[in-house]
Amino acid sequence: MSAILEIHDVDKHFDISGSFLDQLQLSKGKITRKRTVVKAVNNVTLDIQPGETLSIVGESGCGKSTLARTVMGLYKPNKGTISYRGDRIDHLNSVKMLPYRTKMQMVFQDPYASLNPRMNVRQILEEPVRFHNPDLSRSEIKARVSEVMLQVGVDPVWASNYPHEFSGGQRQRISIARALVVDPEFIAADEPIAALDVSIQAQILNLLMDAQEQRGLTYLFISHDLSVVEHISTRVAVMYLGCICELATAKELFSNPKHPYTQALLSAIPRLGGKIGGHVRLSGDVPTPINLPSGCAFSGRCPHVNERCMQEIPAQLKLESGSVVACHGIEEGRI
Amino acid sequence: METLIDIKNLRVDFALRSGTVRAVRDVSLSINKGERLGIVGESGAGKSVLGFSIINLISKPGKITDGEIIFKGHDISKYSYDQMRKIRGNRISMIFQDPMMTLNPVLTIGTQMMETVLAHMDVSKKEAEKICLEKLTKVYIPSPEKRLSQYPHEFSGGMRQRIVIAISLLTSPNLIIADEPTTALDVTIQAEIMDLLLELCKTENMGLILITHDLAVVSEVTQRIAVLYAGKVVELGLSEQIINNPQHPYTQGLIQALPQMAGGKKRLNQIPGMMPSLLDMPKGCPFEPRCTICIERCKQEIPILKELESGTQVACFMRNGANKR
Ligand SMILES: Nc1ncnc2c1ncn2[C@@H]1O[C@H](COP(=O)(O)OP(=O)(O)OP(=O)(O)O)[C@@H](O)[C@H]1O
Ligand SMILES: Nc1ncnc2c1ncn2[C@@H]1O[C@H](COP(=O)(O)OP(=O)(O)OP(=O)(O)O)[C@@H](O)[C@H]1O
Ligand SMILES: [Mg+2]
Ligand SMILES: [Mg+2]
């Protein structure tokens, strides 16, 4: 089967040095120009198969949203290519990108910022339908919108209300409705259930899984809730400091985590009735994407670190189980 | 045990064109010094509005229409904006669900943090900056000194959330109301932040109201849990009891909806139906339209909280013995 989406060797960096004058620094009697760059995504290669749910997990700030936004064409990658069903989309201008906008939708992480405060819910949901299906009649559009509102559990009587009149979770459901309403093939969902109580979370996840089954939808799913990730994912990619450190099927990853970071991450999953503080504590400095370590991204905090880890970036290693891991320790058989 | 804050029969209304939305309905809760109370419940149940009402920051047209909030012997629900300003962000801090409610998008985070410190504490600029860097380090923001000159939109979702937490800690408050403080954080940082809050409760005797959807987190961190549904407390008790032995059918449904409870099935257990619109509430129990064990009485009368033998209080005719003859 050929991939629906191929991400090849992608970098996304942000220059945060400010204006030209801010960049000038006086050092040793000389004026030098200094740039500060956040290396949010580095050398990411990933393919997403049609009909699967590929989840990305990892530390806050490790570049998950940036990767999703780059995939969606909202950021231009500094390096590498992104292809949708074999066609390169990373260098398209907004007009050429239009046909892909119907097929690819994104649910943004921040439901507060992503809804236009001057539009009521009906306008928010009707606009994309009208835009992408100019030949639908008014009543067809209305019917489509009401249907989706019911599916995500937003009572259609609220249609004339504005975003600020809703609770966090209600807004999040409206953003999900907005992605589903245009009937896409691919959805990048960035923390789509973070603000939802578990019963509505269950309702939304069931809805996403049903839609996947019926229409063969493909998801790129970002979530910090690892029990949800375990439940719905086909495969899981673990990111650390902009790099993918492990990629495996959900079953393999949760039953047999390989990378030391994955192991630390899984140990911190809160448990019903558990006690706080039982997790693997990562010692060492919290890493910064501004000064990337020269070797393995995790080397500063890894309990198994050695000289080589600090010098050399580990290559992606394919294991017998089919998992992919980037770790010198595993390659050398030390871990 | 010394009471830190005592909320009595609190009622909050939003007068809208389409009618009055009663978002908080006669809620009574009290928290002791150093105590950690969790608030869970359906999205839209009124958890955030309850939090806002404590610090008198309900968005218009919301208003406290009844009840009292006693903090250090004073009913702060009647305080003026200026009186409240001295308490808010100083003695009582709120970590908002929406980080951008705390953060001003056009100011760097350094400017914003310094402002808070200088407004509430008598320190020099240098000392203030030191406090800011110290708190940012506490919430695991890497290279904090480089980050002070950045604007909120230049941070990831979770970093913004951590900055907001750092701001709430700047003045060492007596009570923190944390509204979904860790939804955007990965589990390792979440565990560290919860550790930090827990430690502050223990060492500084700080009270914590933790509003969250994450039942596992709330069970690990808090001592008592209040379950809110359609503006009412429907169950209140020790966290361990609420999680292991839930009484109200809504609480039971909530716990059953966790992925761990799907028992190997792909489909998760969801509670059928949705929470009634606050504009159009049923006459009896607000959960009755979705309840599988309801009786005729539930349609007619609103159940009130009653204490069971286990110490848990529950508002349900089928559970609190009111129905037994
Ligand atoms: N400014 C407002 N105008 C009108 N209604 C409002 C306003 N703010 C909140 N509400 C209503 O009050 C109710 C309670 O909202 P609140 O934000 O407290 O919910 P919540 O329990 O925090 O939910 P969530 O878990 O989704 O954040 C909601 O039904 C909401 O629609
Ligand atoms: N527009 C931007 N300008 C400058 N830096 C940015 C921008 N967007 C993101 N970054 C930086 O890129 C890094 C990765 O951010 P990103 O939002 O992708 O993280 P994330 O993995 O989604 O984290 P979270 O789980 O907290 O949402 C962070 O260090 C962030 O500060
Ligand atoms: Mg993000
Ligand atoms: Mg809320």
Side-chain angles (χ1 to χ4, degrees):
Chain A
M1 212 175 352
S2 64
I4 186 164
L5 199 79
E6 282 162 283
I7 304 165
H8 184 72
D9 203 21
V10 163
D11 275 5
K12 177 66 206 167
H13 298 170
F14 297 99
D15 191 328
I16 58 163
S17 358
S19 70
F20 182 71
L21 284 178
D22 291 336
Q23 296 170 19
L24 299 182
Q25 276 192 348
L26 195 65
S27 70
K28 295 189 193 124
K30 266 198 264 174
I31 292 182
T32 52
R33 185 168 169 207
K34 191 166 174 289
R35 293 181 155 271
T36 314
V37 177
V38 177
K39 297 185 174 128
V41 171
N42 304 298
N43 308 318
V44 167
T45 297
L46 200 63
D47 58 273
I48 304 179
Q49 300 298 328
E52 82 167 334
T53 301
L54 183 105
S55 294
I56 304 183
V57 302
E59 198 156 51
S60 155
C62 71
K64 303 178 296 294
S65 302
T66 304
L67 180 62
R69 285 168 167 264
T70 311
V71 164
M72 295 299 297
L74 301 171
Y75 293 146
K76 295 248 174 290
N78 298 62
K79 188 187 89 188
T81 61
I82 293 162
S83 314
Y84 190 79
R85 294 200 186 275
D87 303 327
R88 260 187 81 174
I89 56 167
D90 55 87
H91 61 305
L92 298 181
N93 62 27
S94 50
V95 177
K96 291 228 171 88
M97 193 66 196
L98 266 185
Y100 297 97
R101 289 257 176 267
T102 358
K103 296 180 188 146
M104 303 169 73
Q105 283 287 318
M106 178 149 179
V107 179
F108 290 93
Q109 180 168 12
D110 187 351
Y112 292 91
S114 65
L115 298 175
N116 184 337
R118 276 178 284 279
M119 287 203 212
N120 67 28
V121 175
R122 176 172 301 118
Q123 291 163 332
I124 289 173
L125 295 179
E126 284 184 357
E127 190 204 56
V129 185
R130 195 172 301 123
F131 185 79
H132 291 297
N133 310 279
D135 30 88
L136 282 188
S137 74
R138 280 181 87 114
S139 59
E140 281 169 317
I141 294 176
K142 243 196 155 106
R144 174 90 193 113
V145 166
S146 309
E147 183 194 327
V148 173
M149 282 181 82
L150 277 177
Q151 281 177 341
V152 299
V154 177
D155 197 328
V157 304
W158 289 101
S160 57
N161 287 51
Y162 289 83
H164 74 270
E165 296 173 326
F166 289 92
S167 77
Q170 288 164 336
R171 273 182 253 201
Q172 203 159 37
R173 280 178 273 168
I174 296 164
S175 337
I176 294 172
R178 186 178 54 182
L180 285 173
V181 80
V182 296
D183 211 353
E185 296 176 338
F186 170 82
I187 296 182
D190 193 356
E191 298 279 357
I193 46 150
L196 303 178
D197 63 277
V198 277
S199 79
I200 292 173
Q201 190 173 305
Q203 182 188 338
I204 299 280
L205 291 172
N206 283 340
L207 170 71
L208 291 178
M209 290 188 290
D210 288 348
Q212 182 165 51
E213 210 159 273
Q214 286 155 13
R215 299 188 249 151
L217 266 171
T218 308
Y219 299 119
L220 176 68
F221 190 85
I222 300 176
S223 175
H224 286 305
D225 189 330
L226 296 176
S227 47
V228 167
V229 167
E230 178 174 12
H231 190 84
I232 72 154
S233 314
T234 321
R235 290 185 301 152
V236 182
V238 183
M239 264 179 99
Y240 189 83
L241 217 55
C243 307
I244 290 186
C245 60
E246 184 162 356
L247 173 66
T249 62
K251 204 161 162 234
E252 182 67 21
L253 190 98
F254 282 92
S255 60
N256 196 5
K258 285 282 189 293
H259 197 282
Y261 175 65
T262 315
Q263 293 175 352
L265 189 69
L266 299 194
S267 80
I269 302 178
R271 307 251 171 233
L272 264 192
K275 279 262 168 307
I276 201 93
H279 57 283
V280 175
R281 269 168 199 278
L282 295 172
S283 56
D285 286 339
V286 187
T288 153
I290 297 174
N291 283 316
L292 282 185
S294 48
C296 169
F298 191 54
S299 59
R301 298 167 87 190
C302 182
H304 309 284
V305 64
N306 70 8
E307 201 52 36
R308 183 176 173 212
C309 302
M310 299 200 286
Q311 307 296 336
E312 198 183 313
I313 297 179
Q316 303 228 335
L317 182 71
K318 196 155 179 141
L319 304 180
E320 237 168 73
S321 60
S323 309
V324 175
V325 193
C327 173
H328 293 309
I330 293 173
E331 191 201 316
E332 295 163 10
R334 285 190 282 124
I335 301 177
Chain B
M1 273 290 161
E2 210 178 323
T3 306
L4 177 62
I5 193 162
D6 198 5
I7 302 168
K8 292 182 191 163
N9 297 318
L10 192 72
R11 184 179 284 183
V12 180
D13 289 339
F14 287 89
L16 304 180
R17 271 160 290 130
S18 36
T20 299
V21 170
R22 179 154 297 168
V24 176
R25 301 171 177 248
D26 307 313
V27 167
S28 297
L29 285 171
S30 84
I31 297 143
N32 292 327
K33 285 193 175 161
E35 195 189 13
R36 312 178 298 273
L37 173 79
I39 298 186
V40 302
E42 190 94 349
S43 155
K47 303 180 296 294
S48 300
V49 170
L50 178 63
F52 292 144
S53 62
I54 296 174
I55 53 166
N56 217 333
L57 264 194
I58 316 173
S59 66
K60 289 229 162 63
K63 260 179 92 170
I64 296 180
T65 49
D66 202 4
E68 315 184 319
I69 302 170
I70 311 290
F71 180 69
K72 297 198 167 168
H74 299 279
D75 181 2
I76 57 171
S77 72
K78 313 279 187 307
Y79 270 23
S80 69
Y81 186 81
D82 277 340
Q83 279 176 303
M84 200 58 212
R85 259 225 326 237
K86 296 207 184 78
I87 294 188
R88 185 193 312 138
N90 188 14
R91 304 298 16 124
I92 305 181
S93 278
M94 181 153 174
I95 303 171
F96 296 107
Q97 187 172 8
D98 173 8
M100 294 314 281
M101 267 191 78
T102 307
L103 299 174
N104 184 334
V106 300
L107 297 179
T108 66
I109 65 138
T111 314
Q112 305 188 43
M113 294 185 78
M114 295 287 283
E115 256 175 26
T116 309
V117 178
L118 294 171
H120 291 292
M121 293 160 89
D122 187 20
V123 290
S124 72
K125 270 204 152 144
K126 255 225 131 62
E127 286 167 306
E129 189 175 302
K130 218 180 113 216
I131 297 177
C132 295
L133 291 176
E134 192 184 301
K135 302 287 177 181
L136 284 175
T137 314
K138 269 216 153 113
V139 295
Y140 306 94
I141 296 284
S143 348
E145 59 296 332
K146 288 213 180 69
R147 297 291 193 167
L148 282 180
S149 59
Q150 278 186 269
Y151 292 89
H153 73 268
E154 295 175 306
F155 291 89
S156 81
M159 289 163 99
R160 276 199 287 265
Q161 210 165 31
R162 279 177 277 163
I163 289 164
V164 168
I165 296 172
I167 291 178
S168 77
L169 297 177
L170 285 172
T171 56
S172 312
N174 304 115
L175 174 67
I176 286 203
I177 305 166
D179 192 358
E180 302 281 358
T182 57
T183 34
L185 301 183
D186 62 283
V187 286
T188 42
I189 293 182
Q190 167 171 289
E192 303 286 352
I193 299 264
M194 287 300 160
D195 259 5
L196 173 69
L197 290 177
L198 202 67
E199 180 169 315
L200 289 171
C201 293
K202 285 184 177 156
T203 56
E204 318 264 315
N205 233 359
M206 184 182 83
L208 173 70
I209 300 182
L210 179 64
I211 301 175
T212 177
H213 289 304
D214 194 324
L215 295 171
V217 167
V218 86
S219 79
E220 286 189 348
V221 175
T222 64
Q223 296 150 314
R224 285 191 303 144
I225 296 177
V227 183
L228 226 62
Y229 189 79
K232 283 190 90 66
V233 177
V234 296
E235 187 163 353
L236 174 66
L238 293 178
S239 306
E240 193 199 311
Q241 285 288 334
I242 304 275
I243 298 292
N244 297 324
N245 190 15
Q247 292 297 317
H248 196 282
Y250 173 67
T251 319
Q252 293 174 338
L254 208 55
I255 290 172
Q256 281 308 314
L258 288 168
Q260 300 88 296
M261 300 292 178
K265 286 185 286 99
K266 193 83 190 157
R267 274 190 82 77
L268 301 163
N269 308 314
Q270 60 189 67
I271 306 175
M274 45 174 130
M275 195 174 77
S277 154
L278 296 174
L279 282 170
D280 184 20
M281 290 287 282
K283 186 169 155 221
C285 168
F287 191 62
E288 178 271 328
R290 303 169 76 181
C291 187
T292 48
I293 58 164
C294 63
I295 50 171
E296 195 50 37
R297 185 174 178 193
C298 308
K299 291 194 170 61
Q300 307 301 334
E301 239 182 278
I302 301 179
I304 55 165
L305 281 178
K306 282 220 172 121
E307 190 165 323
L308 308 179
E309 256 171 49
S310 62
T312 298
Q313 298 178 33
V314 60
C316 172
F317 292 124
M318 297 303 288
R319 294 283 185 241
N320 62 18
N323 194 45
K324 286 195 205 112
R325 273 156 231 269

